[in-house]
Amino acid sequence: MKRVFQKLRQHLTAKAEVKLATYLSYGTAGHLYLLGRALDDDKLKMFEDQSFFYTLKNTYKQFDSDEIAGAEVVLRPPNHTGITTETNAEGYFLFDRSTSMNLKQFADEEGWVPLNVSFVREMKNKTITHDNDFKAEMLIPPLTARFGIISDIDDTILHTGVTSFLKWRVLHNSLFRNAHERISLKGSPEFYRDLHKGRSGKDQNPVFYLSNSPWNLYDYLKLFLEINDFPKGPILLRDFRTPFDKTLKPEKPHKQKEIINILKTYPRLKFILIGDSGEHDPAIYTDIAAQFSDRILAIYLHSVKHRRKMERVRSVVENFKTVPVLLVKTSKEAEEHARAQGFI
């Protein structure tokens, strides 16, 4: 009994381990942008042969995140003393500012700039993991890039089931299936790698990934992209909203806002938009193309098996003549068009 009380006392008095989660971001030579979050370190591990119950445990950890509000965080670009900010009520921190530094000089051949973030000071009853040194990366597209690719994730490159009744397949696939078990849509990794390489094979065209999934699933989706050998790129998710969330909803849909931000960040680049016909991608993408007709090279929409939605999408696509819009059943169809247009 004495040992039981000793272990209980140790558990109750143990300091919580905390970390800074960082998300692959994008910026320019003169503008620094990095989003991240201060959280309790849940020691999340995802491996190929994990059991169903271990998968449930991981899911619980991802959504039962214990955020740290009001923590002071410092970002250190290469050869820089540091920039500080403070986490908000949900633990997020954001560095979004212009700089006199030429950040591009620190980028690797694909445009990735290494960054470091740290907690400014120790916190009461908290133990900072990883020696208070957390890695981050920001993409600056190289001058060799001829265009960019902006792609949806759900049912575009990852079988999700957004058109299923009450979205039960989305819940099942996202919450109860290991990332190693998820299947990419046939041919999509190869097609994206070809687009990334471009016609010369060395273009290093940047790829941006969009999803309406919450940031809680960032590690899960990043692992899926790595496992399936998709090109490395910023992953842009959204904040998790509950039915009881009383904060104001964004004026524009998440995807639309992110695409416009990317277009404005890189005014010299044109883009290919890739999505699916199951949700709002056709309307959002054609609206973007109408606004930025000289910036969108093509729109590829993966056809989903939903008769009513497909009828509505076809009417949108057939009446839109501003830029090429293709409804494709396989990546092969999109690849043939891209090759004919000289994109690859």
Side-chain angles (χ1 to χ4, degrees):
M1 184 62 70
K2 184 178 180 180
R3 287 184 179 179
V4 173
F5 280 111
Q6 284 178 339
K7 288 185 178 180
L8 179 61
R9 183 166 59 250
Q10 289 174 356
H11 176 74
L12 293 175
T13 58
K15 290 185 177 181
E17 295 187 330
V18 296
K19 67 176 182 179
L20 294 174
T22 59
Y23 309 126
L24 293 174
S25 65
Y26 64 93
T28 67
H31 196 95
L32 185 66
Y33 185 92
L34 180 71
L35 177 68
R37 204 174 191 186
L39 302 161
D40 276 5
D41 192 347
D42 52 19
K43 309 294 184 184
L44 185 66
K45 293 181 180 179
M46 301 181 191
F47 49 90
E48 189 168 0
D49 57 350
Q50 68 188 32
S51 67
F52 175 73
F53 291 103
Y54 198 95
T55 299
L56 287 181
K57 181 180 178 181
N58 279 342
T59 299
Y60 176 78
K61 284 183 177 181
Q62 289 174 93
F63 283 91
D64 188 43
S65 55
D66 193 358
E67 303 86 12
I68 303 166
E72 197 171 1
V73 179
V74 59
L75 167 67
R76 293 185 177 87
N79 299 340
H80 195 280
T81 55
I83 307 165
T84 60
T85 192
E86 192 173 284
T87 61
N88 66 14
E90 295 182 325
Y92 290 105
F93 61 87
L94 174 64
F95 294 95
D96 184 7
R97 63 186 70 186
S98 297
T99 174
S100 59
M101 298 175 62
N102 177 16
L103 294 168
K104 201 159 194 171
Q105 65 181 306
F106 306 112
D108 65 16
E109 63 179 9
E110 293 219 351
W112 290 99
V113 178
L115 303 168
N116 291 75
V117 290
S118 308
F119 289 101
V120 171
R121 60 180 61 87
E122 294 288 334
M123 289 168 284
K124 186 178 180 181
N125 298 324
K126 304 285 186 183
T127 298
I128 301 172
T129 61
H130 304 287
D131 297 321
N132 199 20
D133 182 24
F134 302 89
K135 307 299 182 185
E137 290 181 281
M138 185 187 81
L139 176 65
I140 303 176
L143 293 176
T144 55
R146 293 179 56 237
F147 57 83
I149 303 98
I150 302 175
S151 174
D152 178 41
I153 294 178
D154 312 309
D155 277 333
T156 299
I157 59 177
L158 171 63
H159 286 287
T160 303
V162 292
T163 61
S164 62
F165 181 65
L166 296 180
K167 300 194 187 307
W168 71 269
R169 285 184 184 170
V170 176
L171 294 173
H172 176 268
N173 287 330
S174 300
L175 304 183
F176 306 127
R177 293 189 67 188
N178 179 1
H180 289 266
E181 297 175 345
R182 302 297 296 278
I183 302 171
S184 63
L185 294 173
K186 186 177 180 181
S188 54
E190 295 84 356
F191 178 47
Y192 280 56
R193 290 197 297 270
D194 286 344
L195 288 173
H196 174 60
K197 295 176 196 174
R199 189 170 185 177
S200 74
K202 300 178 180 179
D203 291 354
Q204 310 290 12
N205 298 318
V207 184
F208 303 83
Y209 300 98
L210 300 179
S211 174
N212 280 326
S213 296
W215 286 109
N216 305 66
L217 290 177
Y218 176 84
D219 288 335
Y220 183 97
L221 293 174
K222 182 171 179 285
L223 178 59
F224 166 81
L225 293 171
E226 291 172 352
I227 291 169
N228 289 278
D229 201 20
F230 281 92
K232 181 179 176 181
I235 304 170
L236 309 173
L237 309 182
R238 63 180 179 86
D239 197 9
F240 182 65
R241 293 183 67 92
T242 70
F244 310 103
D245 194 336
K246 295 182 180 180
T247 58
L248 292 176
K249 290 184 178 181
E251 292 182 7
K252 294 182 179 180
H254 161 68
K255 290 181 183 178
Q256 186 175 13
K257 177 176 69 70
E258 294 292 356
I259 293 171
I260 291 174
N261 282 344
I262 294 169
L263 290 173
K264 290 182 176 179
T265 301
Y266 306 114
R268 80 170 187 87
L269 278 181
K270 296 186 178 184
F271 286 86
I272 293 172
L273 306 182
I274 308 177
D276 68 86
S277 60
E279 283 287 278
H280 304 294
D281 289 355
I284 291 174
Y285 286 9
T286 52
D287 182 58
I288 293 288
Q291 293 181 61
F292 301 90
S293 57
D294 60 334
R295 302 285 308 282
I296 307 302
L297 294 171
I299 297 173
Y300 299 131
L301 297 171
H302 175 254
S303 300
V304 298
K305 295 179 180 180
H306 193 291
R307 184 181 57 80
R308 183 168 52 83
K309 288 182 182 291
M310 285 303 301
E311 288 176 357
R312 185 168 66 246
V313 169
R314 283 195 184 91
S315 67
V316 172
V317 170
E318 289 171 359
N319 293 319
F320 190 78
K321 307 298 180 183
T322 307
V323 303
V325 182
L326 274 74
L327 276 172
V328 298
K329 292 181 179 179
T330 65
S331 294
K332 184 68 176 176
E333 295 175 44
E335 179 189 340
E336 290 173 354
H337 179 270
R339 198 172 299 280
Q341 295 299 311
F343 303 150
I344 58 178

